[in-house]
Amino acid sequence: MNVLRYNAEAWDREVAGGQNPWSQPVTKLVIDQARQGEFSIVLTPNRPVPRRWFPDTLDGTDLLGLASGGGQQMPILAAAGAKVTSFDASSGQLGRDRLVAQRDGLTIKTVQGDAADLSCFESGSFDVVFHPCSNCFMEHLQPIWNEAFRVLRPGGTLLSGFHNGILFLFDREKDEKDGILEVRYSLPYSDMRDLPKDSLQAMIDRNEAIEFGHTLEQQIGGQIRAGFDITGFYEDNWSDEVTSINQHCPLFIATKATKRH
């Protein structure tokens, strides 16, 4: 299976279904507020990114949204003054960005592709790379961190959100049905490798995206290996309705990483 193509198509179906919260375009009011410099944006489900993680002004900032289509973050940042390029594997998610841009008179360049291959961009093209939770759909992370480092200018910033790998250790069906937490898997985790064949096939039949659980060494250590300094960090919770693990520990992490001069 070509996981990149399959997951892109799975997200296209999510967009077409109209129910996924990460494919709901922001309102015109949110865009108007961002134009006045008032905006709140997330890398993880709930906790807003600190304003100090962004440049003092976004006016003229070259910003790459890495796997962040959906009509939410990129239109907000474009309205706040950034020169935005939205890069995503899903044509449907990119279409949401274009929808808001056309509705509200924003300029957003959209590019479809693989986050592990940013060869369409020259080295040193961007001041900020904004990479919200999405690498759970990507098997190999180091090429992504390496490419983000390459396309940033010296002193540039990578803002990333990702799962705490703990989420992938437990039997998902028992958690969802009965709230029972039973350790079943190890990290790094792969739906393709670790799920029983019948469970994997059922997931594919439901058109659900294939997921991967990564270690903190792959997530944070990988950024450091690429050449970044980790200069900001916070954790975020999810929802008890999604998983009972949320009652016991934060399930998401956000990092600010700076490209060394």
Side-chain angles (χ1 to χ4, degrees):
M1 174 189 290
N2 183 318
V3 175
L4 175 67
R5 182 181 301 117
Y6 172 84
N7 278 351
E9 292 172 351
W11 272 98
D12 289 346
R13 287 188 286 269
E14 290 290 330
V15 174
Q19 300 301 311
N20 193 299
W22 300 110
S23 298
Q24 302 299 316
V26 295
T27 65
K28 188 177 186 301
L29 175 61
V30 170
I31 296 300
D32 290 342
Q33 290 172 335
R35 283 191 163 114
Q36 300 301 315
E38 300 176 8
F39 67 90
S40 179
I41 196 170
V42 294
L43 286 162
T44 53
N46 297 304
R47 187 172 174 181
V49 181
R51 181 62 182 84
R52 66 181 180 278
W53 280 22
F54 292 99
D56 291 339
T57 178
L58 287 176
D59 290 343
T61 297
D62 290 310
L63 187 145
L64 175 65
L66 186 58
S68 63
Q72 300 177 3
Q73 295 107 332
M74 293 305 99
I76 289 173
L77 292 171
K83 295 167 60 179
V84 169
T85 299
S86 182
F87 185 96
D88 203 290
S90 164
S91 60
Q93 287 286 83
L94 291 173
R96 291 301 202 199
D97 285 344
R98 290 192 293 269
L99 183 152
V100 179
Q102 292 168 5
R103 184 193 72 194
D104 297 331
L106 302 170
T107 299
I108 299 176
K109 179 181 179 181
T110 58
V111 181
Q112 186 174 6
D114 181 357
D117 179 8
L118 303 180
S119 57
C120 59
F121 304 119
E122 294 184 2
S123 298
S125 294
F126 299 99
D127 303 300
V128 176
V129 173
F130 190 88
H131 180 47
C133 288
S134 56
N135 66 28
C136 59
F137 305 114
M138 305 167 189
E139 185 172 7
H140 303 292
L141 298 189
Q142 196 60 51
I144 298 169
W145 303 136
N146 293 345
E147 280 290 84
F149 186 87
R150 182 186 65 79
V151 301
L152 279 169
R153 297 179 178 121
T157 300
L158 167 66
L159 305 181
S160 302
F162 44 87
H163 291 82
N164 184 331
I166 290 173
L167 177 67
F168 295 91
L169 299 181
F170 298 91
D171 187 306
R172 192 177 308 171
E173 292 182 2
K174 289 185 177 181
D175 180 18
E176 291 176 352
K177 291 180 179 179
D178 305 310
I180 295 174
L181 296 180
E182 179 180 299
V183 175
R184 183 170 184 177
Y185 305 109
S186 300
L187 292 176
Y189 166 86
S190 165
D191 280 342
M192 297 286 291
R193 181 189 64 242
D194 296 318
L195 279 182
K197 289 184 179 180
D198 57 343
S199 297
L200 176 62
Q201 187 58 52
M203 196 175 76
I204 292 172
D205 291 342
R206 295 191 299 268
N207 296 318
E208 295 179 5
I210 300 295
E211 292 190 330
F212 303 90
H214 304 290
T215 66
L216 291 181
E217 182 175 348
Q218 291 171 318
Q219 296 279 23
I220 299 175
Q223 295 180 55
I224 295 170
R225 280 192 295 275
F228 287 105
D229 291 326
I230 304 299
T231 54
F233 179 99
Y234 64 84
E235 293 177 299
D236 192 12
N237 287 89
W238 202 355
S239 164
D240 292 351
E241 296 179 359
V242 177
T243 172
S244 55
I245 309 170
N246 190 66
Q247 301 172 30
H248 304 284
C249 70
L251 290 175
F252 290 88
I253 292 168
T255 54
K256 177 185 178 182
T258 302
K259 181 171 180 176
R260 301 167 189 164
H261 289 278

